[in-house]
Amino acid sequence: MKSDYLWDGSGEPDDTVAGLEKQLRPLKWTPGPLREGRRTVMASERAPWRLVIAATALIATATVGTLVYLGQTAAQTSWRLSGEDGSPSYLRRGQLVKTQPATKVTLFSEQTGRVILDGDTRLRVGGEERFGLEQGTMHALIWAPPAKFLVETPTVKAVDLGCEYTLTVAKDGSGFLTVEMGWVAFEARGLESFIPAGAACTTSRRRGPDTPHFLDARPDFVAAVGQFDRRHDIAALHRAVSEARSRDALTLWHLLRRTEGTERALVCDRLAQLVRLPDVASRDALLRGDAAALEGAWDALQLGDMKWWREWKRRWR
Amino acid sequence: MRVTVESEQRAEEAALVQAARSGDRVAFGALYTQYGGVIHAVLISRVSFGDAEDLVQEVFLRAMERLPDLKDVQAFPAWLFSIARRMATDYARQRRTTCAVDHIASTRPRPDGEAFAVLRQIQSLPETYRDTLILRLVEGMTGPEIAQRTGLTCDSVRVNLCRGTKLLREKLEGGLK
């Protein structure tokens, strides 16, 4: 029925409505980043502001398939984008770097690190040590001190803890991270995930950071943890716990903070089987969510260089 | 079941608003993404398309500043719409002293002139129909989605869509004659 097409797009298309949709769809809102630092100039101030934008707007280094949009005249950063002719363009705060499909672009900062953007990626330069990945994939190798370099995505804030990693943001805002070296921390809505080298973590708009897992974990284990994250499926939690290897203690530790009551007891008991927990991390204390016990259990994971841990703010304390 | 899904969505949204009110910027970002299209629709039914893009930002920045004052998280959509409508009215009043700008610098491809011509016809419709039609035809939302986002009943949305489309059709046919 034609009236259904107008209502929800189902049924036989109404030619007029379909034609109007096609004509008007280019006007549809496309979400850009919310720019806190930029206050739009109103009314009579608008014309000069527009002229500034028009005049300075598009630094198109099209030869490398990259467009850099200037939001406003702003402070230059140490990040540079090299053109094909070798001439560097220094990025400014607030700029949007947008790569064309099938193109890779390298951003480099002597004091912070190197970031390679895959094709079809949109990256906002928030500042010297703050980027916003709106869509696409970035490969980062960061040499700034741990916890200085941040990447904000639509779902989480990724804090570099001295490392190399690959972060992807899909069109729906969900994210996927793999860490090649060091650590990355995800933060959102009071939840944290700590992802070491060899591990991965997904993110979603609804949940924020999911539970991380090692890339060599059994597929059944990864699937069960994912199911628990998505649906809080208790049967899946049981499967994950029974499938867990010693190395999956990382995942179990994170599950401690995502469960309570009998579910937490289930996770806690399995963790105690896989890892030698210190006295401070007693069963009772872990079930209470005691901060010192959680830290003791974390230390027992023995996951290599953890110097950044001393600096970390540990939201559960 | 649909009722359960809707109540879950409302609960999730209330949690987002609550988190955003406590200063969680990621939660606020999620609200911005969820409601940006609706606010854009409210704005382009009242101000020029080029100005609406910037005003969406202004509306959310103002909402972010004032969110701690919002008493009832369930009232977030209505509260946000009222900010958008007020800002659009203020903006239109201020802009009477300046020239019209639909042709602005933008980071996306410019829609063609026909799209703006149709938009102007929609803008000339009674207010009741404008927002609903723009949400359906520009933002691509379905009737049930419009009802869910705006808080209107499904029946009201259906009526607005049918009557609005009829009026728009008449205007467009009249314009062609």
Side-chain angles (χ1 to χ4, degrees), chain A residues 3-9 14 16-17 20-44 46-47 49-50 53-54 57 69 96 98 122 152-157 187-190 205-206, chain B residues 12 16 24-28 30 32-33 36-37 40 44 49-51 54-58 60-61 64-65 91 94 98 101 104-105 107-108 111 114-116 118-119 122 136-140 142-144 154 157-158 161-162 165 168-169 172:
Chain A
S3 59
D4 281 342
Y5 184 78
L6 178 61
W7 176 240
D8 60 8
D14 177 308
T16 311
V17 175
L20 287 169
E21 282 179 309
K22 195 177 166 195
Q23 215 163 22
L24 292 169
R25 199 51 54 84
L27 304 179
K28 180 178 162 69
W29 183 70
T30 46
L34 190 55
R35 296 180 288 275
E36 283 177 59
R38 192 195 107 186
R39 303 298 299 195
T40 307
V41 182
M42 302 283 279
S44 55
R46 176 165 290 277
W49 179 75
R50 295 288 190 206
I53 288 290
Y69 296 104
L96 176 69
K98 185 180 174 188
R122 293 162 60 91
E152 286 179 300
T153 76
T155 51
V156 291
K157 184 163 71 180
E187 285 183 286
R189 298 183 218 164
R205 282 196 189 280
R206 197 163 62 89
Chain B
E12 278 173 18
L16 272 181
D24 183 333
R25 293 294 163 86
V26 173
F28 192 83
Y32 167 66
T33 310
H40 186 245
I44 60 173
F49 174 74
D51 295 335
D54 288 340
L55 272 178
V56 171
Q57 294 263 333
E58 288 292 328
F60 279 91
L61 289 173
M64 189 157 64
E65 285 164 10
Y91 186 76
Q94 287 181 40
T98 67
V101 266
I104 59 154
T107 55
R108 58 176 171 168
E114 281 186 35
F116 287 124
V118 176
L119 181 62
I122 297 177
R136 174 69 186 87
L137 299 173
V138 177
E139 304 301 336
T142 64
C154 282
V157 173
R158 199 181 275 275
L161 279 177
C162 290
T165 307
L168 179 62
R169 233 187 267 259
L172 292 173

Side-chain angles (χ1 to χ4, degrees), chain A residues 43-236:
Chain A
S44 55
E45 293 168 61
R46 176 165 290 277
W49 179 75
R50 295 288 190 206
L51 287 174
V52 170
I53 288 290
T56 58
L58 210 60
I59 298 176
T61 50
T63 48
V64 290
T66 310
L67 297 174
V68 181
Y69 296 104
L70 277 179
Q72 61 177 25
T73 308
Q76 182 176 290
T77 70
S78 69
W79 287 94
R80 67 174 187 262
L81 172 90
S82 294
E84 205 167 52
D85 59 357
S87 58
S89 304
Y90 283 92
L91 297 173
R92 291 176 180 277
R93 282 185 67 167
Q95 281 187 315
L96 176 69
V97 181
K98 185 180 174 188
T99 61
Q100 302 299 307
T103 313
K104 278 186 193 277
V105 166
T106 301
L107 312 179
F108 186 88
S109 160
E110 281 174 14
Q111 62 199 65
T112 308
R114 187 197 67 206
V115 170
I116 299 171
L117 304 179
D118 280 0
D120 213 10
T121 293
R122 293 162 60 91
L123 181 90
R124 177 77 59 183
V125 181
E128 192 62 52
E129 290 161 334
R130 183 178 286 258
F131 282 176
L133 182 62
E134 296 173 9
Q135 187 191 306
T137 297
M138 63 178 275
H139 310 273
L141 174 60
I142 302 300
W143 44 79
K148 293 285 183 199
F149 182 74
L150 311 178
V151 179
E152 286 179 300
T153 76
T155 51
V156 291
K157 184 163 71 180
V159 184
D160 164 82
L161 298 170
C163 66
E164 184 173 8
Y165 61 92
T166 299
L167 179 59
T168 298
V169 172
K171 282 186 178 160
D172 67 356
S174 60
F176 182 67
L177 169 89
T178 55
V179 179
E180 284 92 50
M181 186 175 74
W183 289 81
V184 170
F186 271 160
E187 285 183 286
R189 298 183 218 164
L191 259 189
E192 293 156 323
S193 288
F194 302 106
I195 307 109
C201 190
T202 54
T203 71
S204 79
R205 282 196 189 280
R206 197 163 62 89
R207 300 179 301 277
D210 286 332
T211 309
H213 61 83
F214 277 107
L215 288 165
D216 60 5
R218 294 188 188 112
D220 288 351
F221 173 79
V222 177
V225 172
Q227 213 165 330
F228 178 72
D229 280 337
R230 284 190 300 277
R231 292 185 232 148
H232 206 80
D233 180 338
I234 307 302

